[in-house]
Amino acid sequence: MKKIDGVKHELNPMSLVALVLSFVSLALVTSLFFIPREDRVYSLFITIDTLICLVFWLQLTGDLLRSQNKKAFLKTHWPDYLASIPIIEPLRFMRLVQIFRVLRLIRSGQQLLQHILDYRREATIATIVLLLTVLVTVGSSLILIIESHDPNANIHSADDAIWWVFVTISTVGYGDHYPVTTLGKILATVIITCGVGLFGMVAGLISSFVSDPDRHKPAIHHHDQKHWDKILDNQNLLLKRIDDLEQRLTESTQHSGKENEK
C-alpha cells in the first residue's frame, strides 16, 4: 500500500474524482431546494446523494489509512468527513473547502499529470468509479423524468430507476423494468454501450494485475530517476577526469624518459 502525504494526497486520482463528485453532489443538493418533497425526482436525488456520500467515505477512509501522519490528516480533512454525512444535505456545502483546496493546488502549477502517471492503476480505478457514478446519476434521473409522462411506463420510483440503471449497465437485462418511450430506449442504448466499455476497463485492469511481471517491484518515481541520472552524470565526469589525469601522467613519464636519455 502506497503511503501518501501532503500535495500527493490532494492530487491523487481518487481525490480528483472526489472533486468532480463534489460538484455533482452540490448540484443535486441545490436542486432539492426547488423540487417538492413529494416528487419522485426528489427521492431519487436523495438516494443518489447518499451513494455519492458512500464514495466520499470510502475515499477519505482509504486516504486516512495510507496517510503518514493520520492526526494531521484528520485535522485538515474533518470538514470533508462532516460534508459526507448522508441525509443531512446542507452539510454538503462544506465540500467547498475541499474544492477550493484542490483547485488551488492545480492552479499553482503542481505536476498533476505526473501524479496521475505515478498512480496509473489507481487512476484507472478512479475513472471507473467516476464513470459508474455519472452513469447512475444521469441515467436514473433521465429515465425517471422521461418515463414518468407515459401511462404505460413501468419505471415509477427512484428504486425502479436505480435498479434499472444497474441492470442495464451490467447488460444483464432482467426485463422487470424497461423503457417504453423512444427517448427512453435511446437512453438505454447509450447506457448499455457505456456499460460494455466500463466492464472492458475492469477486465483490462484485472489483466494488468495478473500479467504484469513487475507488479511486485517498487516503482521508480520521477524524482528518483532524476537522482540516479545525476549520479550517473557525476560518475561519467569523474571517469573522464581520471582518464585525463592518466594521460597526463603517461605524457609526463615519457617526457622524463627522453630528458634522461639526453
Side-chain angles (χ1 to χ4, degrees):
M1 182 182 292
K2 291 183 178 180
K3 293 292 183 180
I4 57 173
D5 204 7
V7 173
K8 288 186 178 181
H9 158 257
E10 300 296 350
L11 294 182
N12 70 36
M14 285 305 297
S15 294
L16 295 176
V17 168
L19 171 67
V20 177
L21 293 183
S22 295
F23 284 109
V24 176
S25 179
L26 289 176
L28 292 176
V29 172
T30 303
S31 64
L32 292 177
F33 292 106
F34 306 97
I35 302 176
R37 285 183 175 270
E38 61 275 7
D39 197 303
R40 289 174 293 182
V41 177
Y42 186 94
S43 301
L44 176 63
F45 283 0
I46 290 291
T47 305
I48 293 174
D49 180 63
T50 303
L51 293 175
I52 293 177
C53 286
L54 177 61
V55 176
F56 288 153
W57 273 94
L58 291 175
Q59 178 253 330
L60 287 170
T61 304
D63 289 342
L64 174 63
L65 294 175
R66 294 188 299 167
S67 178
Q68 296 177 359
N69 191 340
K70 293 179 174 55
K71 185 179 293 186
F73 180 90
L74 290 174
K75 185 177 180 180
T76 304
H77 297 279
W78 65 266
D80 301 332
Y81 278 97
L82 289 180
S84 302
I85 299 176
I87 307 303
I88 309 178
E89 283 73 30
L91 287 178
R92 221 68 73 239
F93 289 98
M94 294 184 67
R95 297 207 67 84
L96 289 171
V97 176
Q98 183 193 22
I99 290 175
F100 289 134
R101 187 167 59 235
V102 177
L103 289 179
R104 185 176 67 251
L105 290 175
I106 295 175
R107 187 179 178 184
S108 64
Q110 299 291 339
Q111 297 179 348
L112 175 61
L113 181 60
Q114 187 60 46
H115 283 290
I116 295 177
L117 291 176
D118 288 342
Y119 299 90
R120 291 184 181 180
R121 285 173 181 161
E122 186 177 342
T124 304
I125 296 174
T127 304
I128 293 172
V129 172
L130 177 62
L131 290 177
L132 181 61
T133 307
V134 171
L135 280 177
V136 171
T137 303
V138 176
S140 58
S141 302
L142 289 180
I143 197 66
L144 189 60
I145 294 172
I146 293 172
E147 296 289 304
S148 61
H149 301 291
D150 195 297
N152 298 320
N154 56 78
I155 300 176
H156 303 291
S157 64
D159 296 340
D160 294 342
I162 293 177
W163 170 251
W164 174 83
V165 167
F166 276 108
V167 170
T168 306
I169 290 174
S170 62
T171 66
V172 173
Y174 281 113
D176 51 350
H177 296 288
Y178 53 88
V180 297
T181 62
T182 302
L183 285 177
K185 293 176 181 178
I186 293 174
L187 176 63
T189 303
V190 174
I191 292 178
I192 291 172
T193 305
C194 294
V196 172
L198 195 64
F199 278 93
M201 293 177 63
V202 174
L205 180 65
I206 294 174
S207 64
S208 71
F209 278 107
V210 174
S211 61
D212 187 3
D214 298 327
R215 62 184 183 276
H216 298 301
K217 297 180 181 179
I220 299 177
H221 295 285
H222 184 65
H223 59 85
D224 293 333
Q225 188 64 45
K226 281 187 173 181
H227 178 69
W228 285 111
D229 289 342
K230 186 176 181 180
I231 291 177
L232 289 175
D233 291 340
N234 292 336
Q235 183 180 4
N236 292 332
L237 181 61
L238 181 61
L239 290 174
K240 185 177 179 181
R241 290 181 176 178
I242 292 175
D243 290 338
D244 291 341
L245 181 60
E246 184 179 0
Q247 184 177 359
R248 290 180 182 179
L249 289 174
T250 303
E251 292 176 354
S252 176
T253 303
Q254 292 176 352
H255 182 71
S256 300
K258 291 180 181 180
E259 289 290 338
N260 292 332
E261 290 177 359
K262 293 179 179 180

